Each structure stands twice: as C-alpha cells, then as structure tokens.
Amino acid sequence: MVLTVLTALTNCLCFSLKYSQPSIVKGRTDVVAVTPWLAPIVWEGTFNPVLLDSIYKPKKISIAVTVFAVGKYIMFLKNFLETAEQHFFVGFNVHVYVFTDRPKEVPEVKMADGRQLTVRLVPSSKRWQEISARRMELIQKLIDEQLRKNSDYIFCLDVDSKFHDRWGTESLGGLVAVIHPGYYLDNRSKFPYERRSASKAYVADGEGDFYYCGGAFGGILEEVYLLASTCRFNFEEDAKNGIEAAWQEESHLNRYMWINKPSKVLSPEYLWQDFKARNPEVKTIRFSGVIKNYADIRPNV
Ligand code: 5GW
Ligand code: MN
C-alpha cells in the first residue's frame, strides 16, 4: 500500500501543481470533444498542457517521428525540422527518422538535448505511388528494427508542412488520427473515400465516421505497426488486382480507422492547410501543409 502510494506520487507531478478546477458542465460548446465511441477529440481549450506534461514527464517517454523527403520534397525538410524544434514535444525525447534519397541535402538543424535525427536511405522513385506504397512498409521495418528498443510512441508526418503552435502530450494515445481540414463540415457522402468495392480500401455509402488525413497519424508502436502492416497488405492486394485506391494510402488509412476506431482523434488544428482560411472554431493552427507548386516538386508521372 505504502509502495503503491509512493509510486503514484512519483508517477505524476500534478499533485504539486496548481491549476484551475476542472468542470464537467462548463467547457467548449462550439465543438464536439468526444467521439460516439468515447475517444477524446483534441481541440484548443479542452485540455491543460501544463497538467498533461506533468503527467508524462516522469514517465520519460520517447517519441519517434517518421518523415519522408524523397526527391525534391527535401526542400521542405528544413522548415519542418526547425519548427518541430519550437513546437513539437518541447522538453521531451524526440527522435526524427528522415527517409530520403538525398542524404547530403539533409539540413543541419540544431536540436535540443534529448532530441536527435537519423537519416534512413531510400531508393529514388519516379512514381510517387511507389514511394507511397513503400511508406507503410518502411514504417513497419523501422518499428521492427529500431523503435521497439527505444521508443514509446510514433507519429508519421508529411514533410510539406510546418509547426506553428504546440503539438505535445495531449496528442498521445493508442491509435491517433487527425481529422482532415477539408471535409469536417461535410456530410459523409461527400468524403473522398474509395468507393469501388473491388478495392481493399472500400468504404460503402452510409459508412465512415470522419475523413482523416494521410499526412499525420500515430500512436503507440504496436497500434501503428498493425495499421502499417494492414495498410501495406491491402495496398499490395489492390496492386495485384490492378486497382489503386482514390487517395492511395490515405484511402487505406481511412478504411482502417473505420474498422479500428482511433482512441484519440486530433482536430484539424493538427493539420490545417495554408491555402484555407481559418474557421472560427479553429482557435489555433498547430501544424499545416504549406502551399506547394506541384509542377516544381513532383517527379513526372
Ligand atoms: C507526392 C505526390 C506526387 C509525386 C511525388 C510525391 C512525393 C511525396 C515525393 O516525390 N516525395 C516525397 O517525399 N513525398 C512524401 O509523401 C512527402 O513526405 C510528402 O509530404 C508525402 C505526401 O505527399 P504530398 O504531401 O505531396 O501529398 P498531399 O496530399 O499532402 O498533397
Ligand atoms: Mn502533404
């Protein structure tokens, strides 16, 4: 008993923290902060960042990040890494794994103590669909070969994006998905799910909860491992049958999240798009996709 109490005390610094009293009747009323399967939907104003950090700090967690910068997409990496230093899990152990075919062009970005970067070489590819197909496989391999030894959580993020505000411990969960900023006000019939039943990414009419981003997902290693291996398998099955889902791995991810409900859902604050005007319920933008000139950056397809 004494031991339990001691452990409980050392496991959370929140007992010594002064913070405003939580309420179960007052809070944000303009957004929904919980899914019908009782997963939190993380919006600004629904959590206390200082309290959350104090809960996770003594656990000495490590967060792995995967980011692909293949071909000309290497040009986005500097901004991504520099802004991650300012906003992504500041004060925690973060290990960024950069997958690139241009290791010499990986920028030198000064990282704080407890943060590091590793470059993993990938072959160049003319067709994005090939890179995309291999992304899940490479994430799976990374978890197998490296992460089980040194990481607790993983986030897989698009490189053509940057951080503007805190992305931290409030985002941690078993299986974490981000709501796509382009569709969250729409009826599910408008979601760009894969609609052909021949595809393993198929979502039927009248099905689907939300439309999630392919550009950011994460969670604990084992959950992301299952996601990556399932999406990879389904992607390859489709390829064998000569079918490619409407939005490639994003379609497979959406199918996966329909079957396996995420245990934490991040609001579109966690992946906005720079070309989109901010809606009133979006009180802060934490991470956003930058505007890109497709003709400049994509290989010829
Ligand atoms: C993407 C589309 C067509 C051709 C090439 C690519 C591509 C994507 C590429 O040449 N190199 C590369 O590293 N990527 C990675 O895939 C980047 O991490 C990128 O952020 C991610 C997803 O592709 P995006 O960002 O172009 O997709 P959208 O849906 O965010 O526009
Ligand atoms: Mn992107």
Side-chain angles (χ1 to χ4, degrees), residues 76-90 109 115 161-165 286-287:
F76 298 113
L77 189 57
K78 187 164 192 279
N79 226 247
F80 175 95
L81 293 172
E82 283 177 353
T83 57
E85 276 298 293
Q86 292 158 14
H87 302 293
F88 186 80
F89 284 94
V90 174
V109 171
R115 302 170 76 94
S161 31
K162 60 184 185 193
F163 296 87
H164 309 267
D165 199 355
R286 304 172 189 284
F287 186 58

Side-chain angles (χ1 to χ4, degrees), residues 24 43-44 49 55 66 82 88 94 100 112 130 148 182 186-187 195-196 221 243 249 255 273 275 277 282 289 297:
I24 62 161
W43 292 93
E44 176 69 3
I55 293 169
T66 63
E82 283 177 353
F88 186 80
V94 172
T100 187
E130 279 164 30
R148 289 210 179 83
D186 291 337
N187 190 278
R195 299 298 189 179
R196 294 165 296 175
L221 295 187
I243 190 161
E249 82 230 286
R255 162 86 194 178
Q273 284 167 331
F275 63 76
V282 175
I297 48 156

Side-chain angles (χ1 to χ4, degrees), residues 4 18 27 31 45 55 58 98 104-105 137 140 159 175 180-181 183 185 190 207 224 240 262 277 289 293:
T4 323
K18 293 258 184 287
V31 291
I55 293 169
V98 175
K104 291 203 190 87
E105 292 174 50
E137 176 191 345
Q140 204 187 339
V159 75
L175 179 63
H180 195 294
Y183 304 95
L185 300 172
K190 299 243 178 65
E207 295 185 346
V224 176
K240 275 188 215 151
N293 180 349

Side-chain angles (χ1 to χ4, degrees), residues 37-40 172-177 223 257 260-265:
W37 59 93
L38 299 179
L172 295 175
L175 179 63
V176 182
E223 287 285 353
M257 295 289 179
N260 307 274
K261 307 294 192 212
S263 59
K264 186 164 281 185
V265 174

Side-chain angles (χ1 to χ4, degrees), residues 66-74 76 99-101 122 125-129 131-132 135 157-161 180 214-215 247-250 271 273 275 289-290 292 294 297-301:
T66 63
V67 62
F68 286 73
V70 178
K72 291 182 183 160
Y73 276 64
I74 193 85
F76 298 113
F99 292 81
T100 187
D101 56 341
V122 298
S125 179
K126 287 246 173 332
R127 275 196 90 229
W128 162 242
Q129 283 77 355
I131 309 168
S132 174
R135 206 145 65 137
L157 305 175
D158 264 18
V159 75
D160 62 333
S161 31
H180 195 294
W247 291 98
Q248 295 90 32
E249 82 230 286
E250 184 171 87
L271 189 39
Q273 284 167 331
F275 63 76
V290 303
K292 53 191 194 282
Y294 288 90
I297 48 156
R298 288 190 174 173
N300 296 330
V301 262

